[in-house]
Amino acid sequence: MPLDYAGAALGAAFGEGFADFRVVVKYVVDKARMFQPILKRLESTLDRLAPTVIEIGRLSEQLTLPEVETKSLIEHMKKGENLVRKCSKIPWWNYLFKVYYSPKLKELEDEIIRFCQVDLQVPNTRNGLRTLETVISISKRMGSFRVVETPTGSSHGVAGPQDLIVGMDMPIKELKTLLLKKEVQLLLLTAPGGCGKTTLVKMLCQDDEIKGTFKENILFVTVSKTPNVKLIVQSLFNYKNLWHEFQFQSDEDAIDSLPQLLNHIGPDPILLILDDVWLGSESLPEKFKFDIPDYKILVTSRTAFPRSEFTYHLKPLNDGDAMTLFRHSASLNEGSSYIPPEEDIKKIVRGCAGFPLVLKVIGGSLCRQKAEVWHSRLMNWSDGQFFFNSDTELLDHLQNSLEFPDDKVIFKNCFMDLGLFPEDQRIPAATFIDMWAELYELDEDGNQAIANLQELTNRNLASLVMSRKDASEVNNYYNEDFVTQHDILRELAMYQSSQGLREQRQRLIIDISKNNPPKWWREQKQQLFNARLLSISTDEFFLSNWCNIQAPKVEVLVLNFQTQNYTLPEFMEKMDELKVLIINNYGFFHSEIRNFQLLGSLPNLKRIRLEKVSISSLCKTYVPLKTLKKVSLFMCNIGKAFENCTIQVSEALPNLMEINIDYCNDLEELPVGLCDIVHLKKLSITNCHKLFALPKEIGKLVNLKMLRLRSCTDLSELPDSIRSLHKLSVLDISDCLSIMKLPKHIGEMCNLKELNMKGCLRLRTQFPESIMDLKQLKLVVCDEERAKLWDPIKEFLSDLEVLVAEKDINLNWLPK
């Protein structure tokens, strides 16, 4: 299968032209004595721009480059190569040629700088990284794997661990020595779950010798319990923008295509890391072996595969390192209110058997706890000699960390809710905000849900990753925050949820592999289940052949799947208590949803969240959803969805209060029909980079209180009809790079209290006079340049605070 550059040809040509020109300049700079000063300056300029240009070339399939200017610059750089070569052949004494050629070199330098600063709106590294954030945030959701970027975005490497790490110095040296041996092509790193295999591999990838050897060719893929070879290979083809919308017909087809990619990304050595290969998938790493020079594979697994020729066994921590990690996790070195006797601490540490995960979780559960909690825990510890012979024993041991007082039992419920989602996936924090607002009556804005996730993070039971420091500081913006969880902890959540009779469980979690539902479900007994939460996960082979199930008390339904066509189960029709529906497509392509009309029979449905779904497929059978309050669309294809409905959108959604549209890349104009939902209170359109216009009809949304247009980089202006939004209190246009002016009559938005305009780089002119009429405006968030424009206005708006956003390049949200 040939490599296809069609989707990124322009960006690739730009990157290659720049690289070729840079090589020629570096080669000639010491040879052309007459032109050395200007060539050295040109070389320095190219070196400074190189990181930005590399990202533009690598991410060009997701970026929209200005075609005319880009092609012109490519042509000029080709001519520049010839010009520089000519300069190297001119005798040093011939000043006539210097007078002729020097201005041409300066013109070319100026054109390259102007292109990067103006045509790309990338005047500094921060904006380049923000573009990188956008692209990676999309690509990391594509399937049951992840290819992790380094913090610099320079390669398919691995971000280093962020927490305290102990006892890894010797394992790194030993593992590196073994990996770099010439005869080792495939190396297995094995240890029980929770011992730190993935942490060790991440640290290895940050090692200077490893980075120096493999450079940008470190590829990291999380394989998981049910590996999908086609998706794994598809993700690897996405490296250096070689992905195009074709589908491999089989696993064999995907594997057969992989050598083309590996040969293409050479000639530097290549390291492919297959993390978390489960028992039953022992043959998978062998499929990725090819006779390619300097190509190595590192595999991590809980199981020592007998066929593996080279294996490294990671041992648990020794007593000293285990004590250090436990003390850190329990904050015993930070002035805790209660410090237990040393013998008691040693007893607990011995019971953790040197497992870093267990030490962190148990320590976190005892952090700043009173003496009674420590004594209670010790009573369950026998003599402190525990050895985990199976994952089940490990899970039994970790249950001690889930002891919460009665007034905090909600944290245990929230922890168990994490098990509703597939392993090794980033779960959007917004998903839990929706679920818990209905299940546990938490606040609609998400503050309490985020606080609960933070508590689980503090106890090392999950990891809440906040996307940017300033993102959540202004008006509860959590769209880019997400949660991750160690596989063992996910199993613990599922293990807790599986206690007791299946019919009486609060959470029913079903995994279907290759059209084989559990035996109890196939038997078609008319069992009545009392679950409040139901999660069903299926793989790429699922044909939507549903068995029946009676679960009338379900309030939250989570459907996780990977297929391009998906049929909603008929039994949904009888879920009269259903309040929250979450449909997650973890496949590589958008999915067509059938049976959507079933939702019309649900009398209590309030929230729908759709991920990577073709919305136009839903409108073919559009039905009124009279109780629906909130719709969230993430990475969906919207197309003409709201224009071809059989009934008016306002009639179909008579009580809709909130719409969230995030990373919907085909959205170019906000559908006019949405502006007929006059009772709408919140409208959030974020990271929709092709959105270039809002309809004038947006002025009809007279009850709107929050309008967020964050990171819509092509949006050039706000319609003047926005003046009619008299109830609007929050307007967020941050990172809208193309907006050049505010609406003339913005002052008529008489209730506006917060305005976020950070990153509006082209907004340089004076604000309209009517801005003086924003008497209720209390907070403006912007960058330093925009803050200067507000200085004269603050004299008239005495209560106004202008907050300069912190320049924070934070990629902690990347999968660890």
Side-chain angles (χ1 to χ4, degrees):
M1 184 176 296
L3 297 176
D4 192 338
Y5 292 90
L10 187 59
F14 172 55
E16 290 170 7
F18 180 94
D20 291 343
F21 180 51
R22 187 177 172 215
V23 168
V24 171
V25 171
K26 286 183 173 295
Y27 177 77
V28 169
V29 69
D30 291 325
K31 300 179 183 296
R33 291 173 56 191
M34 183 187 300
F35 299 93
Q36 261 192 359
I38 190 169
L39 286 175
K40 281 189 174 294
R41 190 176 71 239
L42 180 58
E43 180 187 35
S44 176
T45 298
L46 296 175
D47 288 343
R48 283 187 289 108
L49 293 175
T52 298
V53 174
I54 288 170
E55 294 308 328
I56 292 166
R58 188 166 66 81
L59 305 173
S60 58
E61 187 164 1
Q62 291 83 7
L63 299 174
T64 302
L65 297 177
E67 184 174 353
V68 174
E69 292 85 350
T70 305
K71 287 182 176 179
S72 174
L73 182 59
I74 292 171
E75 187 62 31
H76 285 167
M77 285 192 295
K78 288 180 180 178
K79 292 179 180 178
E81 285 184 50
N82 296 328
L83 176 63
V84 172
R85 287 193 176 97
K86 287 180 181 178
C87 291
S88 68
K89 298 175 182 178
I90 295 172
W92 64 270
W93 44 263
N94 197 330
Y95 285 90
L96 180 62
F97 283 94
K98 181 175 182 179
V99 173
Y100 181 75
Y101 285 126
S102 292
K104 292 183 177 293
L105 290 172
K106 182 66 171 65
E107 278 180 26
L108 182 57
E109 179 188 19
D110 291 343
E111 183 178 3
I112 294 172
I113 294 173
R114 185 202 59 76
F115 180 85
C116 289
Q117 288 184 335
V118 179
D119 294 319
L120 293 176
Q121 302 99 47
V122 188
N124 54 47
T125 306
R126 183 176 180 230
N127 297 324
L129 282 173
R130 184 153 300 152
T131 302
L132 176 64
E133 288 178 12
T134 295
V135 178
I136 297 174
S137 189
I138 296 172
S139 64
K140 295 305 175 289
R141 301 287 297 173
M142 293 185 172
S144 57
F145 57 85
R146 55 181 189 266
V147 180
V148 186
E149 297 277 347
T150 59
T152 60
S154 61
S155 70
H156 270 51
V158 189
Q162 302 297 315
D163 205 353
L164 174 69
I165 305 296
V166 296
M168 290 294 184
D169 291 344
M170 187 55 67
I172 285 178
K173 291 179 182 178
E174 294 172 346
L175 184 64
K176 179 174 66 174
T177 300
L178 186 54
L179 178 66
L180 294 179
K181 286 185 177 181
K182 187 174 182 179
E183 65 271 22
V184 176
Q185 185 189 14
L186 193 154
L187 173 60
L188 174 66
L189 166 61
T190 184
C195 258
K197 299 182 295 297
T198 302
T199 299
L200 176 60
V201 168
K202 290 177 179 178
M203 294 183 70
L204 178 75
C205 292
Q206 299 302 314
D207 179 84
D208 289 340
E209 187 176 358
I210 292 295
K211 289 194 292 185
T213 300
F214 297 100
K215 296 182 173 63
E216 296 187 4
N217 288 340
I218 300 176
L219 297 90
F220 184 105
V221 180
T222 300
V223 176
S224 303
K225 189 174 183 179
T226 54
N228 186 322
V229 173
K230 290 187 287 187
L231 283 176
I232 291 173
V233 175
Q234 190 82 68
S235 81
L236 295 177
F237 263 75
N238 204 27
Y239 180 53
K240 291 191 175 178
N241 277 347
L242 296 177
W243 174 75
H244 193 57
E245 288 211 7
F246 59 80
Q247 280 186 286
F248 297 116
Q249 299 305 308
S250 64
D251 289 354
E252 292 73 19
D253 181 27
I255 292 295
D256 290 344
S257 301
L258 191 54
Q260 297 178 63
L261 171 67
L262 297 176
N263 283 312
H264 176 80
I265 66 177
D268 289 327
I270 300 170
L271 175 60
L272 172 62
I273 299 169
L274 300 175
D275 187 42
D276 195 23
V277 177
W278 281 58
L279 181 67
S281 299
E282 298 93 326
S283 62
L284 180 69
E286 295 291 331
K287 295 179 180 179
F288 287 84
K289 288 178 66 174
F290 301 101
D291 188 17
I292 296 175
D294 299 318
Y295 167 53
K296 293 178 179 289
I297 303 173
L298 176 58
V299 179
T300 74
S301 178
R302 301 181 195 178
T303 305
F305 303 150
R307 293 171 55 188
S308 177
E309 183 179 359
F310 299 99
T311 301
Y312 181 82
H313 295 270
L314 178 61
K315 298 177 182 177
L317 298 177
N318 60 38
D319 292 345
D321 289 331
M323 179 64 77
T324 299
L325 182 58
F326 179 79
R327 283 183 170 277
H328 173 79
S329 301
S331 299
L332 294 180
N333 301 324
E334 300 177 11
S336 299
S337 57
Y338 172 72
I339 303 293
E342 189 69 16
E343 279 305 309
D344 289 348
I345 298 175
K346 288 181 179 179
K347 184 177 180 181
I348 292 178
V349 170
R350 285 197 304 270
C352 294
F355 281 44
L357 177 66
V358 181
L359 288 159
K360 289 197 292 184
V361 171
I362 299 298
S365 70
L366 293 170
C367 180
R368 296 186 175 86
Q369 294 292 344
K370 297 179 180 179
E372 292 80 7
V373 177
W374 282 83
H375 294 155
S376 173
R377 187 66 52 82
L378 283 164
M379 290 175 62
N380 299 327
W381 225 259
S382 69
D383 62 354
Q385 297 296 327
F386 290 92
F387 297 94
F388 309 125
N389 296 315
S390 69
D391 286 347
T392 302
E393 290 184 28
L394 176 59
L395 296 177
D396 285 335
H397 199 60
L398 284 173
Q399 285 188 101
N400 291 309
S401 65
L402 298 180
E403 295 175 359
F404 292 93
D406 291 343
D407 61 333
K408 293 186 177 181
V409 71
I410 187 175
F411 296 135
K412 184 174 182 179
N413 287 325
C414 290
F415 170 74
M416 289 193 288
D417 290 345
L418 299 184
L420 300 173
F421 301 89
E423 61 176 331
D424 299 316
Q425 295 293 340
R426 302 182 316 164
I427 313 168
T431 300
F432 296 112
I433 292 173
D434 284 342
M435 288 172 48
W436 296 342
E438 299 298 337
L439 282 173
Y440 310 129
E441 298 182 351
L442 303 190
D443 67 292
E444 298 273 341
D445 291 331
N447 295 316
Q448 291 173 308
I450 294 297
N452 288 358
L453 290 171
Q454 190 60 60
E455 177 69 20
L456 296 180
T457 299
N458 294 341
R459 288 175 170 260
N460 293 309
L461 293 171
S463 179
L464 172 64
V465 183
M466 309 293 277
S467 58
R468 303 172 193 160
K469 284 185 179 179
D470 67 292
S472 300
E473 290 175 358
V474 181
N475 208 56
N476 317 114
Y477 178 68
Y478 302 118
N479 279 18
E480 295 177 7
D481 304 339
F482 62 88
V483 182
T484 62
Q485 192 176 41
H486 192 286
D487 287 350
I488 289 289
L489 295 175
R490 177 179 177 270
E491 290 175 38
L492 176 61
M494 297 175 67
Y495 183 66
Q496 285 287 307
S497 297
S498 66
Q499 304 303 303
L501 294 174
R502 185 179 296 110
E503 294 83 354
Q504 301 302 321
R505 295 173 189 167
Q506 290 292 293
R507 295 165 192 80
L508 186 58
I509 302 173
I510 304 173
D511 284 312
I512 300 176
S513 177
K514 298 182 179 180
N515 289 294
N516 294 318
K519 182 179 178 181
W520 60 264
W521 200 3
R522 293 197 307 269
E523 291 173 350
Q524 292 286 345
K525 293 180 179 178
Q526 294 299 310
Q527 294 169 300
L528 187 66
F529 294 93
N530 291 320
R532 293 181 69 197
L533 302 97
L534 173 61
S535 170
I536 305 176
S537 299
T538 56
D539 60 18
E540 61 173 321
F541 302 104
F542 186 62
L543 299 176
S544 295
N545 295 325
W546 295 100
C547 301
N548 191 28
I549 191 172
Q550 294 187 54
K553 296 183 179 181
V554 166
E555 296 176 48
V556 174
L557 175 61
V558 181
L559 300 173
N560 307 305
F561 63 97
Q562 299 180 27
T563 52
Q564 281 189 267
N565 292 288
Y566 187 80
T567 302
L568 298 179
E570 296 280 351
F571 54 74
M572 283 179 55
E573 199 170 15
K574 297 181 180 179
M575 292 182 175
D576 290 347
E577 299 299 318
L578 187 63
K579 298 175 182 177
V580 182
L581 174 62
I582 299 169
I583 299 179
N584 295 322
N585 172 15
Y586 290 104
F588 212 82
F589 301 96
H590 289 85
S591 181
E592 300 273 334
I593 303 294
R594 300 189 180 96
N595 260 8
F596 197 73
Q597 71 275 9
L598 294 175
L599 275 56
S601 62
L602 302 175
N604 289 297
L605 185 62
K606 296 179 180 178
R607 299 167 187 260
I608 295 178
R609 179 179 175 86
L610 304 176
E611 178 170 336
K612 213 180 301 178
V613 166
S614 175
I615 304 301
S616 58
S617 68
L618 308 183
C619 292
K620 296 174 183 176
T621 54
Y622 212 56
V623 292
L625 302 175
K626 296 183 178 180
T627 58
L628 198 65
K629 296 193 304 181
K630 180 178 178 181
V631 171
S632 298
L633 308 177
F634 180 70
M635 289 182 65
C636 291
N637 272 350
I638 294 180
K640 303 293 183 182
F642 296 98
E643 298 178 16
N644 302 318
C645 297
T646 53
I647 57 176
Q648 292 290 324
V649 177
S650 55
E651 295 177 12
L653 305 168
N655 291 297
L656 192 66
M657 298 292 181
E658 183 173 352
I659 298 176
N660 284 326
I661 303 174
D662 194 25
Y663 285 112
C664 294
N665 281 346
D666 73 332
L667 182 65
E668 297 183 356
E669 293 185 82
L670 183 69
V672 174
L674 295 181
C675 299
D676 291 328
I677 310 175
V678 293
H679 41 268
L680 199 67
K681 292 185 177 180
K682 295 181 180 180
L683 175 60
S684 177
I685 307 173
T686 53
N687 302 296
C688 295
H689 300 291
K690 292 184 179 180
L691 179 73
F692 66 87
L694 298 176
K696 64 180 186 300
E697 287 82 2
I698 197 170
K700 294 159 64 175
L701 298 176
V702 293
N703 291 299
L704 204 63
K705 293 185 176 181
M706 188 275 290
L707 176 60
R708 177 169 285 121
L709 303 167
R710 194 182 189 99
S711 297
C712 295
T713 53
D714 273 3
L715 184 64
S716 58
E717 63 179 0
L718 301 176
D720 200 47
S721 60
I722 201 172
R723 64 200 290 186
S724 302
L725 305 183
H726 297 156
K727 293 184 180 180
L728 195 73
S729 61
V730 178
L731 175 61
D732 184 353
I733 56 172
S734 56
D735 298 314
C736 290
L737 300 177
S738 300
I739 288 182
M740 301 180 68
K741 62 179 181 178
L742 295 178
K744 181 178 180 180
H745 299 287
I746 190 172
E748 295 183 23
M749 299 165 66
C750 52
N751 274 298
L752 190 64
K753 295 180 175 64
E754 294 182 19
L755 173 60
N756 191 337
M757 53 191 301
K758 172 181 58 67
C760 294
L761 302 178
R762 291 194 170 186
L763 190 58
R764 301 189 182 100
T765 59
Q766 282 192 329
F767 300 140
E769 289 184 19
S770 70
I771 207 160
M772 303 292 192
D773 298 327
L774 295 175
K775 304 299 184 183
Q776 299 297 317
L777 189 62
K778 305 299 182 188
L779 177 64
V780 171
V781 181
C782 58
D783 47 53
E784 290 184 13
E785 186 176 350
R786 257 48 61 185
K788 294 175 183 177
L789 298 175
W790 285 97
D791 285 342
I793 298 169
K794 287 192 292 184
E795 297 179 13
F796 297 91
L797 302 178
S798 56
D799 295 333
L800 176 62
E801 176 188 3
V802 177
L803 177 64
V804 177
E806 185 176 346
K807 291 184 178 181
D808 176 47
I809 303 172
N810 179 1
L811 299 185
N812 288 335
W813 52 272
L814 287 174
K816 303 295 184 193

